[in-house]
């Protein structure tokens, strides 16, 4: 039985897949935060390079990957697809379990798939510095790597709870030449306002985005980069799913269910979007499951409406599932899943019933992660472990029914910098969080009126 399905370097995709070309229902346009009118490309030119703005607005099905980007991709791509034979045996399941492992990248996650092209396009347009936010630090470390490769400076605002929990992620950023600050910080007006009101706040991705956007908008040599949510980010991530389709062909198999963790929405769309045409046209039974924490349940408890992407209301209004732009979730260890909204492309497909969403508690997620690690040897990132939990549940269900389903997990990164969370789990002190309905209602009551 083949446990590792590998591709050659020449199999790295030459084009990204744009799901906007195949949406059953058109995407609602982003709105200018000042006028509430549909956003124009020139509205974004203060913080994004024109090439990325063009990709953001595009409905072309295929977009060429620059050869300079593919050359950097060769550092780790194509990533392996594993058959989780040992996990199958441990669960005594007839299901076939596969996982696409993005933890082999230099930064240890899927995030360089978009960090590299974003740094490349900024470099080509003469930008000297990029400002960004990061939650758990995976995006920050990926952008630090990418800007190092293309000779750019990088400033990163890291959510304070993760800044304290994951010091070695910021150590990686510094190794690659970036500067990293806990958010909220005293470096921006947005940060100072939050600290005046809530000096002990754990921070949030919404706050960190406000700081990074303000930084970029107030410096002529600086642009902003986002590691999730936006259309061009999801576009770049489709290298994962395009490779997976080739890898399944090599073993004459095809997934019945695809699982991926979901915060803002980059790794899960990256693996599942190339399968959307199959689901719409040929494979009606294919399930696509976005997996989120109960502490930040945007897809499962949020409202599908227009909202700001950040706390200070500097970003465009996006039609998405949201818990409210001023939502501050608890400091769970899956810091990359603590965003108040989700990618508009993903939300559109969830609303249409093409993609489903499930939410899980912290302890059950770490239990599944530990089961996986003891069988397969890889310690998953807490974010990635949210996709492992329902896959194990389905495999156990298959053991009871005898179904031989094919399950695919997108293992978006390793957990080598998250071992304090595993210690907390093993010591029995890891807490479950389920965000109270009343606080969700209060936050949703402050949504913008569009």
């Amino acid at each position: 039985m083949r446990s590792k399905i590998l591709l050659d370097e020449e199999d790295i995709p030459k084009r990204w897949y744009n799901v906007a070309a195949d949406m059953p229902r058109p995407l609602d346009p982003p709105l200018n935060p000042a006028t509430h009118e549909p956003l124009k490309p020139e509205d974004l030119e203060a913080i994004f390079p024109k090439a990325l703005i063009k990709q953001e607005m595009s409905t072309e099905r295929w977009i060429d990957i620059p050869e300079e980007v593919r050359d950097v991709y060769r550092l780790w791509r194509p990533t392996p697809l594993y058959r989780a034979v040992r996990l199958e045996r441990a669960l005594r399941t007839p299901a076939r379990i596969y996982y696409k492992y993005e933890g082999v990248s230099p930064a240890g996650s899927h995030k360089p798939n978009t960090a590299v092209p974003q740094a490349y396009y900024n470099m080509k347009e003469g930008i000297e510095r990029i400002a960004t936010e990061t939650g758990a630090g995976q995006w920050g470390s990926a952008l630090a790597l990418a800007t190092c490769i293309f000779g750019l400076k990088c400033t990163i605002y890291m959510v304070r709870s993760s800044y304290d929990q994951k010091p070695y992620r910021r150590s990686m950023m510094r190794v690659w030449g970036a500067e990293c600050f806990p958010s909220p910080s005293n470096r921006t007006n947005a940060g100072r306002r939050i600290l005046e009101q809530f000096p002990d706040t754990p921070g949030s991705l919404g706050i960190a985005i406000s700081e990074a956007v303000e930084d970029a908008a107030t410096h002529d040599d600086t642009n902003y980069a986002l590691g999730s949510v936006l259309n061009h980010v999801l576009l770049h991530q489709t290298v994962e799913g395009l490779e997976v389709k080739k890898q399944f062909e090599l073993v004459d198999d095809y997934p019945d269910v695809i699982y991926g963790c979901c915060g803002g929405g980059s790794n899960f769309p990256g693996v599942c979007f190339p399968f959307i045409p199959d689901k719409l046209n040929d494979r009606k039974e294919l399930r696509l499951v976005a997996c989120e924490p109960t502490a930040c349940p945007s897809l499962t408890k949020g409202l599908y409406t227009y909202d700001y992407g950040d706390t200070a209301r500097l970003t465009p209004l996006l039609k998405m599932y949201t818990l409210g732009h001023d939502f501050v979730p608890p400091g769970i260890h899956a810091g990359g899943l603590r965003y108040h909204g989700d990618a508009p492309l993903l939300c559109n497909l969830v609303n249409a019933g093409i993609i489903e969403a499930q939410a899980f508690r912290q302890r059950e997620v770490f239990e599944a992660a530990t089961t996986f690690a003891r069988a397969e040897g890889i310690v998953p990132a807490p974010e990635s472990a949210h996709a492992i939990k329902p896959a194990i549940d389905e495999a156990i269900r298959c053991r009871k029914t005898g179904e031989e389903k094919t399950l695919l997990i997108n293992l978006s990164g390793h957990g080598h910098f998250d071992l304090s969370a595993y210690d907390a789990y093993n010591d029995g002190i890891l807490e479950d969080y389920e965000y109270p309905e009343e606080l969700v209602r209060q936050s949703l009551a402050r949504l913008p009126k569009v």
Side-chain angles (χ1 to χ4, degrees):
M1 186 182 296
R2 193 169 176 181
S3 61
K4 230 180 11 271
I5 301 101
L6 303 175
L7 299 174
D8 294 325
E9 284 187 8
E10 56 264 31
D11 293 315
I12 296 172
K14 293 182 171 61
R15 297 182 299 174
W16 292 300
Y17 167 67
N18 185 8
V19 76
D22 296 312
M23 304 283 281
R25 191 173 63 210
L27 197 64
D28 294 280
L31 304 180
N32 185 299
T35 66
H36 289 190
E37 294 295 321
L39 204 68
K40 300 174 183 175
E42 53 266 31
D43 294 336
L44 297 173
E45 289 180 2
I47 58 172
F48 290 118
K50 291 179 181 178
L52 289 180
I53 296 172
K54 183 178 179 182
Q55 291 178 4
E56 186 69 20
M57 305 291 189
S58 176
T59 55
E60 294 180 29
R61 182 170 288 105
W62 299 101
I63 294 177
D64 290 341
I65 303 177
E67 191 52 41
E68 296 94 329
V69 171
R70 291 185 76 245
D71 187 53
V72 180
Y73 279 172
R74 289 186 180 94
L75 286 172
W76 73 96
R77 303 214 72 86
T79 57
L81 177 69
Y82 286 91
R83 172 81 181 269
V85 178
R86 290 169 179 79
L87 181 61
E88 293 172 11
R89 290 174 185 158
L91 300 176
R92 294 180 289 111
T93 180
R96 295 180 297 279
I97 305 173
Y98 295 85
Y99 56 96
K100 178 70 164 166
Y101 186 41
E102 293 293 305
V104 297
S105 80
S109 78
H110 68 293
K111 292 293 188 178
N113 297 335
T114 184
V116 169
Q118 289 195 52
Y120 166 78
Y121 289 122
N122 276 284
M123 178 273 294
K124 292 290 283 186
E125 294 191 21
I127 294 299
E128 297 178 7
R129 181 172 71 100
I130 297 179
T132 196
E133 77 293 325
T134 193
Q138 290 180 333
W139 167 242
S141 54
L143 191 63
L145 168 69
T147 50
C148 177
I149 289 171
F150 289 111
L152 304 176
K153 297 177 183 177
C154 187
T155 302
I156 299 162
Y157 297 88
M158 187 172 183
V159 174
R160 177 173 291 279
S161 60
S162 291
Y163 185 93
D164 295 335
Q165 288 172 350
K166 306 175 196 297
Y168 296 117
R169 278 248 162 73
R170 48 188 164 93
S171 298
M172 288 176 69
M173 301 175 210
R174 294 176 64 192
V175 166
W176 285 318
E179 54 182 0
C180 179
F181 303 98
S183 174
S185 75
N186 283 306
R187 290 172 52 86
T188 66
N189 291 326
R192 285 188 288 271
R193 280 196 298 269
I194 295 293
L195 286 173
E196 286 172 9
Q197 291 180 272
F198 310 103
D200 298 322
T201 178
S204 71
L205 279 167
I207 296 169
I209 290 171
S210 294
E211 294 207 85
V213 169
E214 179 184 327
D215 187 337
T218 53
H219 294 88
D220 292 338
D221 65 345
T222 304
N223 266 356
Y224 170 69
L226 187 63
S228 191
V229 177
L230 295 180
N231 299 354
H232 66 266
V233 177
L234 277 59
L235 172 79
H236 301 156
Q237 291 292 353
T238 59
V239 292
E240 301 176 30
L242 293 169
E243 288 179 5
V244 164
K245 295 192 86 170
K246 287 185 179 180
Q247 287 165 316
F248 270 116
E249 288 173 5
L250 291 177
V251 291
D252 193 26
D253 208 344
Y254 190 93
D256 293 299
V257 194
I258 299 177
Y259 302 95
C261 66
C262 197
S266 64
N267 93 93
F268 174 60
V271 76
C272 82
F273 274 8
F275 289 86
I276 292 290
D278 297 355
K279 182 172 174 64
L280 294 177
N281 301 321
D282 307 314
R283 304 286 299 218
K284 299 295 186 183
E285 300 306 313
L286 172 63
R287 291 178 58 213
L288 309 171
V289 185
C291 310
E292 63 182 13
T294 56
C296 192
S298 48
L299 290 173
T300 50
K301 289 188 179 178
L303 193 64
Y304 187 49
T305 187
Y306 274 103
D307 196 9
Y308 298 97
D310 72 312
T311 303
R313 298 175 293 181
L314 301 175
T315 65
L317 290 154
L318 303 174
K319 182 73 174 289
M320 59 183 177
Y321 282 97
T322 178
L323 295 167
H325 55 273
D326 58 358
F327 172 86
V328 178
I332 59 171
H333 286 279
L337 305 185
R338 297 176 69 247
Y339 186 55
H340 67 273
D342 288 275
L345 285 169
L346 170 66
C347 292
N348 180 297
L349 293 166
V350 170
N351 188 254
I354 296 167
I355 290 174
E356 59 187 275
Q358 297 178 12
F360 303 97
R361 293 179 176 84
Q362 203 168 213
R363 283 203 293 264
E364 63 183 357
V365 164
F366 275 87
E367 180 184 10
T370 302
T371 298
F372 181 91
R374 290 176 179 175
E376 293 296 313
I378 296 171
V379 179
E383 293 82 2
S384 312
H386 284 71
I388 295 172
K389 162 63 178 167
I392 287 179
D393 289 347
E394 182 66 15
I396 291 172
R397 195 187 70 81
C398 288
R399 181 179 71 203
K400 296 174 181 177
T401 64
E403 294 173 273
E404 297 183 5
K405 286 190 173 182
T406 298
L407 312 178
L408 171 61
I409 300 165
N410 199 33
L411 187 54
S412 57
H414 64 64
H416 298 172
F417 299 110
D418 304 286
L419 295 178
S420 63
Y422 281 91
D423 281 343
Y425 169 74
N426 287 318
D427 292 341
I429 58 175
L430 193 70
E431 297 181 47
D432 276 340
Y433 295 101
E434 186 154 359
Y435 206 78
E437 290 275 4
E438 178 56 31
L439 293 181
V440 172
R441 282 195 294 270
Q442 290 175 15
S443 190
L444 291 178
R446 295 186 290 271
L447 288 170
K449 302 296 185 286
V450 178

